[in-house]
Amino acid sequence: MTARGALPFDPIRRAAHLWEHRWGDDAAPAAMAVATSIMRAQQLLLAQFDAALARYDLTFARYEALVLLTFSRDGGLPMSKVGERLMVHPTSATHIVQRLEGQGFVERTPNPADGRGTLARITDRGRQVMEQATASLVASGFGLDVLEPEELSEMFRLLEKLRRGAGDFEPETAAAEQGLKALSD
Amino acid sequence: MTARGALPFDPIRRAAHLWEHRWGDDAAPAAMAVATSIMRAQQLLLAQFDAALARYDLTFARYEALVLLTFSRDGGLPMSKVGERLMVHPTSATHIVQRLEGQGFVERTPNPADGRGTLARITDRGRQVMEQATASLVASGFGLDVLEPEELSEMFRLLEKLRRGAGDFEPETAAAEQGLKALSD
DNA sequence: CCAATATCAGGATTACTGATATGT
DNA sequence: CACATATCAGTAATCCTGATATTG
């Protein structure tokens, strides 16, 4: 996909070593290593997802929009909510939905509840392609097959703590601390 | 920075719930939640880093290039190595280095060891701004202040396992399994 | 001549700012 | 009138595919 072949060592681990020599056994090298690892993991996963979704002419961003609309009441959502829930800029939401509309996966209609607004609604074709795309991603294990179920739980817990600390959402209850396993409750 | 205010709940946790209703208590919902969390964490961290680096007229991508060159022998590296180590496309490496060159943070000279190649070398001004930028990021805890040292270690271990599984690098020795703490050895 | 090393041209996606038309 | 809801125009960053000049 791009200019990398697998290196014979972990470049992030190597960089952390160099940082330790420079900043000592502080928390900084560990934080740097984790931050860089998250950047890199995202890059790897996104490339895998986009590759798996290419046969449906979808990007991961457009796929997420289809999933969002699928799970919405009546399959529709105001554009403002689309941007908010996808956590993208309003103009990006406009672009994504316009692209999906051009593909016939989404329709845009005036919002009957607000004359200013536009409602994005998933079409039957959109639902079909979303089902197929999801099956592909599920079959690929979302690129996380190497992790054990307990590791997935732990990873989710740590990432949720990180996101909450970064102001991604407000802690609603103590239940938010219970980890992914608590999802079944 | 963009269209998001903190939601009163974790949208990823909510989505995982919906997936469970649809796909059962499979591994798929957990994998989906982790994958989405990584995407979101990367987005949040990158926004924080770019905000912290804006006063130095740097993006995180250009900052990483400066760090890479700082840690290289003589502060210089062939363009091919820059792209490889930054894990970006060769044309992206060209663009990043050209931008840094325009800022006076990097010089480009012919590679004496290979007439085809170009050497990117960090300048004194580049080293200065890199030091200041690093101090800012370290002071911000890389956006990971909420995590305990043991949590950072665990997170690194899990992300490294993920990256290795995705073919990011080849396992060199069993030492790679030991987690971040082993960095000090 | 073939392969490697950049670089450039150009298209696609996303983020963001600022302006705008419409409606609450 | 102030505010909210899109949308559009335009800038910038990044990724990627070719094409190209130079050199090994």
Side-chain angles (χ1 to χ4, degrees):
Chain A
M1 44 199 61
T2 177
R4 60 185 155 291
L7 293 171
F9 57 91
D10 181 358
I12 297 178
R13 181 176 289 270
R14 177 168 292 189
H17 264 296
L18 292 168
W19 279 63
E20 282 182 356
H21 285 298
R22 188 135 182 182
W23 279 276
D25 203 4
D26 196 7
M32 182 282 301
V34 168
T36 309
S37 296
I38 290 174
M39 302 287 173
R40 181 56 180 158
Q42 187 267 353
Q43 189 179 4
L44 288 166
L45 290 181
L46 186 59
Q48 287 183 36
F49 296 165
D50 281 344
L53 294 171
R55 46 185 296 216
Y56 306 109
D57 200 14
L58 289 177
T59 61
F60 189 62
R62 294 205 295 276
Y63 167 76
E64 280 191 301
L66 289 183
V67 173
L68 173 65
L69 294 178
T70 295
F71 282 137
S72 298
R73 196 163 38 82
D74 299 331
L77 221 52
M79 290 301 299
S80 55
K81 293 291 178 190
V82 172
E84 178 182 313
R85 293 298 298 276
L86 294 181
M87 300 175 284
V88 299
H89 198 272
T91 57
S92 298
T94 294
H95 181 264
I96 288 170
V97 168
Q98 282 179 343
R99 190 80 167 69
L100 287 169
E101 187 183 31
Q103 294 178 286
F105 298 153
V106 162
E107 294 173 337
R108 288 194 302 177
T109 60
N111 185 350
D114 186 337
R116 300 167 297 182
T118 303
L119 227 53
R121 187 184 309 278
I122 191 168
T123 63
D124 288 343
R125 283 190 56 207
R127 289 186 190 274
Q128 286 174 19
V129 76
M130 179 272 180
E131 291 286 348
Q132 295 171 355
T134 297
S136 287
L137 291 178
V138 168
S140 76
F142 287 89
L144 297 170
D145 272 348
V146 291
L147 297 181
E148 306 294 333
E150 315 81 53
E151 291 178 323
L152 286 179
S153 275
E154 179 66 0
M155 182 98 97
F156 180 80
R157 185 187 75 80
L158 293 169
L159 288 168
E160 193 177 46
K161 188 173 181 180
L162 188 170
R163 291 187 294 116
R164 189 167 53 246
D168 201 18
F169 57 94
E170 297 300 329
E172 41 189 336
T173 74
E177 297 284 352
Q178 294 174 11
L180 192 55
K181 279 296 168 58
L183 280 171
S184 310
D185 303 340
Chain B
M1 44 199 64
T2 176
R4 57 185 158 293
L7 293 172
F9 59 90
D10 181 357
I12 297 178
R13 182 176 288 271
R14 176 167 294 188
H17 265 296
L18 292 167
W19 279 62
E20 283 183 356
H21 284 299
R22 189 136 180 180
W23 279 275
D25 202 4
D26 195 9
M32 182 282 302
V34 168
T36 310
S37 296
I38 289 174
M39 302 285 172
R40 181 56 179 157
Q42 187 267 354
Q43 189 179 5
L44 289 165
L45 291 180
L46 186 59
Q48 288 182 34
F49 296 165
D50 281 343
L53 294 172
R55 46 185 296 216
Y56 307 108
D57 200 15
L58 288 177
T59 61
F60 189 63
R62 294 205 294 274
Y63 167 75
E64 280 192 300
L66 289 183
V67 174
L68 173 65
L69 294 179
T70 294
F71 283 136
S72 300
R73 195 161 37 83
D74 300 330
L77 222 53
M79 291 301 299
S80 56
K81 292 292 178 188
V82 172
E84 177 183 314
R85 293 298 298 273
L86 293 181
M87 299 177 285
V88 299
H89 198 274
T91 57
S92 298
T94 295
H95 180 263
I96 289 171
V97 167
Q98 281 179 345
R99 190 82 168 66
L100 288 169
E101 187 183 29
Q103 294 178 287
F105 298 153
V106 161
E107 294 173 335
R108 286 194 303 177
T109 60
N111 186 349
D114 187 336
R116 298 168 298 181
T118 302
L119 228 52
R121 187 184 309 277
I122 191 167
T123 64
D124 289 343
R125 283 190 56 208
R127 288 185 190 275
Q128 287 174 18
V129 77
M130 179 273 180
E131 291 286 350
Q132 295 171 356
T134 298
S136 287
L137 291 179
V138 168
S140 76
F142 287 90
L144 298 170
D145 271 347
V146 292
L147 296 181
E148 307 295 333
E150 316 81 53
E151 291 178 323
L152 286 179
S153 275
E154 179 66 2
M155 181 98 96
F156 180 79
R157 184 187 74 81
L158 293 169
L159 288 168
E160 193 178 46
K161 187 172 182 182
L162 188 169
R163 291 187 295 115
R164 189 169 51 245
D168 202 17
F169 57 94
E170 296 301 329
E172 41 190 334
T173 72
E177 299 283 352
Q178 295 175 10
L180 192 55
K181 280 296 167 57
L183 281 171
S184 311
D185 305 339

